Amino acid sequence: MSHLVRNTAYGELFDDNSFIGLLLENDTWSDKEYWLLEVELIEILRKGVNNDNISAILTIVSDITNFPNIGHTNLSLKDKNCRKRSNIAEATEPTIYDRYHRLRTLLRAILGDDIDFLNIDFEYQPNIVDNIK
């Protein structure tokens, strides 16, 4: 769970270059860092929240819930690694709102023990689906 601890603000191993670090410090969404974190969050979803990871999950939930600048978040072009669901014609790539929707839904699924997250066809998809599932 190295990426989870890197993304836990105020933790000893918090990394300013992690997904949450870039989001909080630079108002920047990094797809590359997001997918690294999501892999571990999905592992927690499958296995369940426990005493070892609950604090980190709640810290990330708090950071995302209280983040004030969703609409003004920059997308890191150098770390871009995503595609839009293929059956949607109007936009060619996911928006920042598509990205936040996926993350918030995953966090809710973890806290609600809702494994159905794995069956949702989100607008925001990784370029390589095998990366995360």
Side-chain angles (χ1 to χ4, degrees), residues 70-126:
I70 293 171
H72 294 88
T73 303
N74 302 306
L75 296 174
S76 175
L77 298 178
K78 70 178 180 118
D79 292 341
K80 193 171 163 192
N81 180 16
C82 68
R83 61 182 172 79
K84 190 151 181 142
R85 187 173 58 182
S86 60
N87 61 347
I88 301 296
E90 59 272 1
T92 58
E93 65 181 61
T95 67
I96 193 65
Y97 297 103
D98 295 327
R99 288 166 163 88
Y100 274 99
H101 173 69
R102 183 180 182 114
L103 174 56
R104 286 189 309 257
T105 303
L106 175 54
L107 293 170
R108 282 188 205 114
I110 290 169
L111 293 175
D113 197 26
D114 182 6
I115 200 75
D116 192 50
F117 173 86
L118 300 173
N119 299 318
I120 299 172
D121 192 17
F122 289 98
E123 298 293 319
Y124 177 50
Q125 301 282 333

